[in-house]
Structure formats: structure tokens, C-alpha cells
Amino acid sequence: MSKYDLIATTAMGLEAIAAKEVRDLGYECEVENGRITFKGDEAAIVRSNLWLRTADRVRIKVGEFKATSFDELFEKTKALPWERYMPENAEFPVSGKSVKSKLFSVSDCQAIVKKAIVERMRTKYNKTGWLEENGPLFKIEVALHKDVALLTIDASGSGLHKRGYRAGQGEAPLKETLAAALVMLTNWNPEKPFADPFCGSGTIPIEAALIGQNIAPGFNREFISEGWSWIPEKVWEDARNEAEDLANYDQPLDITGADIDHRMVKIAEENAFEAGLGDLINFKQMQVRDFTTAKEYGVIVGNPPYGERLGEKAAVQRMYAEMGSAFAPLDTWSIYILTSDEEFETHYGRKATKKRKLFNGFIRTDYYQYWGKRPPRAEK
């Protein structure tokens, strides 16, 4: 097997969690802004696609170099070993982005990279005419940042947040990758009760159930790199068998999702069913102010409305106060709430034990963490 330079891209603020996931798969890695870099073979490409819950996608790094002129971009791109990855009939669209770089015209950069790869492939495959481009798909990206060009091939295809279970969603759905991170940032384990009082289309409870039973998030979907001949089918087969063996389908779970909107509750139930978790999660229609439980030492994770729209803020802040009253008796529960409202603690009625800055899409949010009492130690 060969070694590849791999990059797992993440949303800002999730790098440390994604890095832990990469290490848990057995790969040493380095953390940068918005990305985790690591080295691995074909199995690493497959396993990281199947298992990374909080990464956006897995990319293969083909090269990185300084480029301040189009000539430099062309020559250095052409010098890279594209034939190592792509057959002569590969279909390879080029996308791009440029930040704080002299080469700021993204469309020109894309065209030059495309032309340079065509030249390289023609030479290596002894072709004189057009390249057919009727074979497997390789999505190439040229990303320029401060005059450094990073050239990568996307090994995921659809973003890793697309787990394949979302049959329906609300108007502001939480990305599955962020939902998984919210669960992983708590002290929850599968032995504890778990509740989401703002479940929407059910993403947080579903991600909690996948984590609770150690089900690989990419188990039920396909990846672009499955069409590449240099990753043998057996590597995919072995990785999926490993995922099947590591899943703990017998793990009992106590997971509840609630929402004020009965239509969202129905969508959440459908999504849980699609994920194969229909019997494991209990969904119900409920307002947060009516939340009560006799259970102890549970975990609540909520992504309530933020009140970002004009005229909504006062109603949302009233709801935060009602939530504070409803949760006040739950002194053994740990409560985690994601919101962009900087006055959340005031309305909720309590200072958080800890806050963590996260981004929900482009919205800067804080993850307010209220740690409950610890369970008494068992007598020896």
C-alpha cells in the first residue's frame, strides 16, 4: 500500500475533536485552522471517510507551493504527479478559492490548473489529442492562501455530514457534523439518559444514538473514491466489515427528542427510522417549559432558536427564562445549550460552568455548559 498526505477539513472550532477522532483511528496528525493533516494508506482514506463524525470531508494533498504568478502556478502544478492518482480518461473538474493572494481571480486559477494537469497527463500517457474525461471522477481544488497554493483531490464526494438518513429537515437544520460534536463535547455516555428539548428534525438525538452504539457515521452511504481503481474493492469491504464488527447494536439507550412543532416530530421520527434507529429514540411534541423528569445524572443538549430575526428576540429570551425554570430542579443533570445570544446566561438565570466558541454555519455561537452533580461513588 502507498502512503498519502491526507487532510480532514473541519468547521472552525471543531479541529481538536476531529483530531482526536483521527488519532483514535490510529493515525498521528497535526492540527491547523480548519483542517487536520495526517499520513495514511488506502485503508486510511477509506476508514477516515467511514468513521470521522466531525470532519467535513477527506482530501488527498497532491502538492503545496508558493505561487505569485500564473506562470509559476502553471509550471508547479504541471510538475506534480497527477498520473499517480488519475487514469488517462479521468474526469477532473477544478474548483478554487483565493484568500489574501496576488492570484485573486479564482476562475483564471482554475483554468490554469486544469490546463497544467492536461499537459502533464498528455505527456505521461503519450496522448496527442483531447483527453476523453469519460472515466472515474476526481474533484480537484486549488486553494490559495497568502500566495501559497494547495492542490487537493476530494476523496469524499458529498460532504461527510450527509450521512444518508435525512429524509426531511426544518428551515434551519443543524449540520450532522456539528450535532455529533455537540454530543462529543459533553460528559454523556450510553449508560446515561439523554434529551434534546429542541430536536427539530432529530439530528442531535440521532447522532447521539450513532455514537452510543458506535455505528460508523458513513456506514450507509457511498463515497467518490469508491470509483477509483487504485483503492481495491477489498479495502472498502474490509473497512465496512470492521465497522460492522465494532458496532454495538445491543447497547440499550435512553434517548429522547422533543419539539414544539408536531410536524418536526414526525420528520424526526422518519429520519431516525431511515438511520435504522427508529426503535431507539423516543420523540414527542412538547414545549421546553413542560420538561420534567424523575431520572438522574442525565445530559441535555439543545440547539434552541437564537432570535436572530427581527422581532423574535424577546419571545426567544422569554423561552430561555422558562427553560431556566424548567431545568432548575435537575441538579444531577448536565445541560449544554448552543446559541448566538450573548445575553443567554442572564435570561436563563445562571452562569455557565464553561463556554466554548463554535460556529453554526456562519453564525458565531457559544456552547453554554452547566455541569451537574457527579453520581456518588459505588461502595467498595
Side-chain angles (χ1 to χ4, degrees):
M1 290 230 191
S2 304
K3 276 277 193 252
Y4 302 91
D5 289 319
L6 304 177
I7 298 169
T9 59
T10 73
M12 296 289 279
L14 301 189
E15 296 93 344
I17 312 166
K20 183 182 183 306
E21 288 194 89
V22 170
R23 291 188 191 109
D24 286 348
L25 285 175
Y27 309 110
E28 282 303 304
C29 63
E30 290 184 17
V31 181
E32 298 170 37
N33 269 349
R35 67 187 192 191
I36 315 304
T37 59
F38 58 109
K39 288 184 188 299
D41 57 11
E42 289 85 346
I45 294 169
V46 173
R47 291 176 71 234
S48 51
N49 267 311
L50 280 175
W51 279 103
L52 295 181
R53 297 180 194 280
T54 62
D56 288 334
R57 59 183 67 240
V58 177
R59 295 184 174 280
I60 300 165
K61 176 177 158 183
V62 183
E64 191 169 22
F65 50 78
K66 196 166 172 63
T68 54
S69 71
F70 289 135
D71 279 348
E72 198 174 8
L73 180 63
F74 180 85
E75 292 302 335
K76 288 181 175 176
T77 299
K78 190 177 154 189
L80 294 172
W82 294 99
E83 68 284 354
R84 180 189 177 194
Y85 308 96
M86 301 194 294
E88 62 178 273
N89 67 339
E91 182 187 349
F92 56 101
V94 178
S95 63
K97 55 188 180 186
S98 177
V99 179
K100 297 179 183 169
S101 298
K102 287 193 176 72
L103 302 179
F104 57 84
S105 168
V106 172
S107 57
D108 285 336
C109 292
Q110 287 171 200
I112 283 156
V113 165
K114 178 82 179 183
K115 191 177 170 195
I117 298 170
V118 167
E119 291 273 309
R120 171 84 186 196
M121 299 275 279
R122 272 190 189 148
T123 306
K124 290 293 168 183
Y125 287 116
N126 293 319
K127 298 279 283 186
T128 48
W130 292 97
L131 297 177
E132 291 287 342
E133 289 207 46
N134 59 3
L137 180 61
F138 294 79
K139 291 182 174 178
I140 293 164
E141 182 185 75
V142 51
L144 285 139
H145 183 248
K146 294 183 178 171
D147 296 326
V148 173
L150 172 66
L151 287 151
T152 58
I153 300 173
D154 175 11
S156 299
S158 299
L160 292 182
H161 70 283
K162 295 201 170 166
R163 317 282 207 222
Y165 63 69
R166 193 174 261 179
Q169 60 186 43
E171 59 180 48
L174 190 69
K175 252 191 177 177
E176 292 86 339
T177 40
L178 178 56
L182 295 183
V183 177
M184 291 160 82
L185 283 167
T186 73
N187 63 350
W188 182 70
N189 66 54
E191 308 300 325
K192 297 179 176 181
F194 182 96
D196 173 6
F198 306 96
C199 73
S201 57
T203 311
I204 293 174
I206 291 169
E207 291 297 321
L210 292 173
I211 291 166
Q213 291 198 335
N214 200 36
I215 297 168
F219 192 68
N220 279 326
R221 56 160 284 178
E222 292 177 346
F223 302 92
I224 196 172
S225 41
E226 287 183 72
W228 302 349
S229 62
W230 51 268
I231 304 183
E233 265 179 52
K234 187 173 184 329
V235 176
W236 285 99
E237 207 175 294
D238 289 350
R240 286 204 163 97
N241 287 340
E242 176 195 38
E244 184 70 38
D245 291 343
L246 290 171
N248 182 7
Y249 298 117
D250 296 328
Q251 172 66 52
L253 298 172
D254 180 355
I255 297 178
T256 313
D259 200 274
I260 194 170
D261 185 345
H262 67 92
R263 290 166 305 177
M264 292 316 298
V265 172
K266 189 159 174 25
I267 288 171
E269 286 172 342
E270 286 166 7
N271 289 344
F273 181 77
E274 278 294 322
L277 304 165
D279 300 337
L280 288 172
I281 308 170
N282 177 32
F283 290 104
K284 57 184 176 185
Q285 182 187 8
M286 190 183 71
Q287 296 195 44
V288 69
R289 67 179 178 222
D290 297 327
F291 186 94
T292 58
T293 180
K295 296 167 190 169
E296 291 194 305
Y297 304 107
V299 170
I300 289 172
V301 174
N303 175 44
Y306 301 165
E308 292 273 324
R309 290 186 188 159
L310 209 60
E312 281 182 359
K313 195 151 193 158
V316 164
Q317 288 177 339
R318 268 197 309 279
M319 182 262 293
Y320 291 160
E322 290 171 353
M323 190 197 324
S325 302
F327 295 168
L330 309 177
D331 61 344
T332 66
W333 283 64
S334 293
I335 294 153
Y336 299 79
I337 302 293
L338 186 74
T339 174
S340 64
D341 190 332
E342 291 174 12
E343 296 166 17
F344 173 75
E345 289 162 307
T346 307
H347 299 285
Y348 182 74
R350 260 174 78 201
K351 287 284 283 181
T353 316
K354 192 179 172 187
K355 276 194 318 190
R356 184 178 181 128
K357 185 170 77 169
L358 293 173
F359 283 85
N360 183 358
F362 294 108
I363 302 171
R364 185 205 176 283
T365 59
D366 282 299
Y367 197 33
Y368 293 89
Q369 306 173 36
Y370 296 87
W371 300 347
K373 288 179 185 171
R374 291 190 169 191
R377 289 211 171 150
E379 295 290 328
K380 284 189 178 174

